[in-house]
Amino acid sequence: MNQSNVAYTTNRQRKHELTRHAQKRCAQRGLCEGVVPLLTSFGEASHDGCGGIRYVMTDQALDRLKQVLGRNQTIDGLAGAYAVVSANDGQVITLGHRYK
C-alpha cells in the first residue's frame, strides 16, 4: 500500500521527535535530523506492519523534491533514504538508507 505524501506545508510544520535509537542511527548513517520533514513530506509512505509508517525517498519522490527545492549534493544524497515514524505518537523510530 504505497501512497504519495505531497502535502509538504502541512507536514513541514509538524515537529517530529527522534527516539534515542533514531538519534544514534542519524549519527551512524550520515543523516541529519533536518531531513525528517523532507522524508515525511516527499517520501513514499507505506505501513511497516509493526505500527510504524515507512517513508522512503524513491526516484519519483526525489524528482518531486528536486522540482520544489532544486538539485544539490545534499538532496542527491537522500536517494534511498528512509524514516520510520510511529503511527501512534509521531516519533521517529529510525532512519537509514535503502540499498538496491
Side-chain angles (χ1 to χ4, degrees):
M1 179 173 128
N2 288 338
Q3 55 186 350
S4 175
N5 185 0
V6 294
Y8 181 66
T9 54
T10 304
N11 283 334
R12 184 178 59 184
Q13 295 168 353
R14 187 182 312 158
K15 176 69 174 156
H16 291 286
E17 184 178 325
L18 273 67
T19 62
R20 188 175 304 160
H21 174 82
Q23 292 171 355
K24 287 181 183 179
R25 296 302 172 258
C26 279
Q28 290 174 340
R29 297 172 178 165
L31 294 167
C32 67
E33 200 172 320
V35 303
V36 173
L38 297 175
L39 291 171
T40 59
S41 297
F42 289 94
E44 298 291 330
S46 63
H47 291 276
D48 69 354
C50 297
I53 301 171
R54 183 183 309 113
Y55 296 94
V56 180
M57 192 58 72
T58 61
D59 291 338
Q60 295 84 8
L62 198 58
D63 289 341
R64 286 193 305 268
L65 178 60
K66 288 176 184 176
Q67 287 177 354
V68 174
L69 298 178
R71 185 174 179 182
N72 64 42
Q73 188 174 10
T74 303
I75 291 175
D76 288 341
L78 290 178
Y82 66 87
V84 178
V85 179
S86 171
N88 296 328
D89 57 12
Q91 281 192 321
V92 178
I93 299 168
T94 193
L95 291 111
H97 283 96
R98 183 180 68 164
Y99 296 102
K100 295 179 182 181

